Amino acid sequence: MKRNYLVFFVLSALLLSGVPVIAQQVTMSKEEMMELTSDWKGERYPDGRPKVPENLLERAKNISIEEAWGVLRNKGYHNQFEGGWKMIHDNQPFAGRALTAQYMPSRPDVDEDIKKQGEQDGRIGGTNSWPIDALQMGDVYVADGFGKVIDGTLIGDNLGNSIYAKSGNGVIFDGSLRDLEGLEKIEGFNAYVRDWDPSYIQGMMLTGINTPIRIGRATVMPGDVVLAKREGVIFIPAHLAEEVITNAEFIALRDQFGHQMLREGKYTPGQIDTRWTDEIKQSFLSWLDANPDKLPMSRAELDAYMKDRTW
């Protein structure tokens, strides 16, 4: 763990143990953010959070979770997926940049300190509205609500409307939400959560905005590319987003070609499911020429990708 961020966690631990320290900060500094996401070399928000380009977010919606998962596993990222929860609209995938929030069970002394610091920082309203205030267009609000369902409803339809107005996107909650019928009416909005419940949020306190969090069995960093589909949600590190998405798109193109060749009886399953011969590769290139509408990227980008790999 890097030194500055270790200090950040030590301060948090001291607060939770009752040792008096300066008021609790719920966000990292820009320098801490950049240090923890140093593999990202692209554009950033003013607070240092990685800003993956919009075109990659749009392309991400069309890749399969299995293909993205496979690339990440091959690179040693084994804890980026969580599944088995509930989605408002099962057939409406969404993708965006993670804006993270961490909640913990309430503890009066810590909660009071956080709220005092929030007042000093000019924050308005309940703490569960603070992450929403920080949302940018294209973000996905990702919150660790420690799996709480009853009294763990982080938003209802009022906050849902605010989230969509600010981000044009949805939410991932390791917790619950309320007002499902109202949320369903927000066109374009979606959510992936533990469950629904009519209760109000109680017994929870906000302890972090744009800090590393846990979502089920996944570790999530601010700025990760979030891809949510019916089967689950995957969190792609920002610095790997382009590689993962392009690789997944290439695999999908190979599969489309292979399926068509099998239906037409041109090649056998054994030929398609092993390393391709030069003849099949040439047939694939001809198929790409004849089907430019199937390409999710430019042909030049695809050619550059294929040149640098064995396929």
Side-chain angles (χ1 to χ4, degrees):
M1 182 176 287
K2 299 185 179 179
R3 184 183 59 81
N4 288 345
Y5 200 64
L6 179 60
V7 172
F8 177 86
F9 269 119
V10 168
L11 290 176
S12 298
L14 288 172
L15 278 164
L16 292 172
S17 67
V19 178
V21 293
I22 59 172
Q24 167 75 309
Q25 298 284 343
V26 297
T27 60
M28 292 189 289
S29 69
K30 179 178 181 179
E31 291 71 26
E32 289 167 333
M33 179 75 76
M34 293 180 69
E35 189 172 9
L36 271 182
T37 59
S38 58
D39 287 333
W40 170 252
K41 307 304 181 184
E43 185 179 358
R44 293 178 180 267
Y45 287 105
D47 66 356
R49 184 165 57 109
K51 187 178 182 182
V52 173
E54 293 286 344
N55 72 308
L56 284 178
L57 302 182
E58 285 301 313
R59 286 165 56 186
K61 295 177 186 178
N62 298 314
I63 67 174
S64 79
I65 284 181
E66 286 84 2
E67 288 157 1
W69 179 88
V71 179
L72 291 174
R73 291 276 290 191
N74 287 338
K75 289 186 170 293
Y77 288 79
H78 301 286
N79 303 297
Q80 302 307 124
F81 174 79
E82 175 61 26
W85 297 2
K86 295 184 178 180
M87 205 170 189
I88 294 179
H89 303 290
D90 285 347
N91 295 313
Q92 182 181 307
F94 60 102
R97 307 175 194 92
L99 182 142
T100 64
Q102 183 181 53
Y103 291 83
M104 292 184 180
S106 290
R107 173 172 160 154
D109 55 344
V110 180
D111 195 26
E112 180 182 1
D113 194 60
I114 290 170
K115 289 175 179 176
K116 284 181 179 179
Q117 184 61 46
E119 290 177 4
Q120 294 176 24
D121 294 341
R123 298 186 186 275
I124 301 172
T127 55
N128 65 322
S129 71
W130 295 0
I132 298 172
D133 293 336
L135 286 168
Q136 304 290 325
M137 193 57 63
D139 284 347
V140 173
Y141 176 19
V142 184
D144 174 6
F146 55 93
K148 187 175 184 180
V149 174
I150 299 172
D151 299 334
T153 52
L154 295 177
I155 66 166
D157 56 358
N158 287 335
L159 291 182
N161 273 283
S162 178
I163 289 168
Y164 190 72
K166 288 178 174 291
S167 68
N169 227 327
V171 301
I172 309 292
F173 290 161
D174 190 356
S176 60
L177 51 74
R178 65 191 310 273
D179 299 325
L180 176 59
E181 289 186 12
L183 290 166
E184 285 178 318
K185 296 175 183 177
I186 306 173
E187 187 174 352
F189 179 83
N190 208 350
Y192 194 75
V193 299
R194 287 277 185 184
D195 213 337
W196 335 111
D197 200 80
S199 58
Y200 290 94
I201 183 172
Q202 295 185 74
M204 302 175 72
M205 62 181 183
L206 177 72
T207 55
I209 300 175
N210 275 332
T211 60
I213 62 171
R214 170 189 169 187
I215 295 294
R217 57 188 168 113
T219 298
V220 188
M221 288 293 295
D224 280 357
V225 172
V226 182
L227 173 60
K229 292 194 167 187
R230 181 174 58 181
E231 66 200 278
V233 58
I234 195 163
F235 303 95
I236 305 170
H239 67 282
L240 294 176
E242 183 171 10
E243 180 178 354
V244 169
I245 292 167
T246 302
N247 195 313
E249 290 170 336
F250 176 72
I251 293 171
L253 285 171
R254 276 184 52 124
D255 287 345
Q256 289 181 63
F257 165 78
H259 295 164
Q260 182 176 331
M261 295 301 102
L262 291 172
R263 288 194 299 268
E264 295 175 358
K266 186 171 182 179
Y267 298 111
T268 68
Q271 289 174 302
I272 291 296
D273 286 340
T274 189
R275 185 171 178 174
W276 286 355
T277 64
D278 289 340
E279 177 192 343
I280 298 178
K281 289 180 181 180
Q282 188 56 54
S283 182
F284 177 61
L285 294 175
S286 298
W287 180 84
L288 292 174
D289 291 335
N291 296 278
D293 57 311
K294 296 185 182 295
L295 272 61
M297 74 287 278
S298 72
R299 183 57 188 269
E301 290 174 317
L302 179 59
D303 287 341
Y305 175 82
M306 292 189 293
K307 181 181 179 180
D308 293 335
R309 61 172 284 127
T310 300
W311 53 281

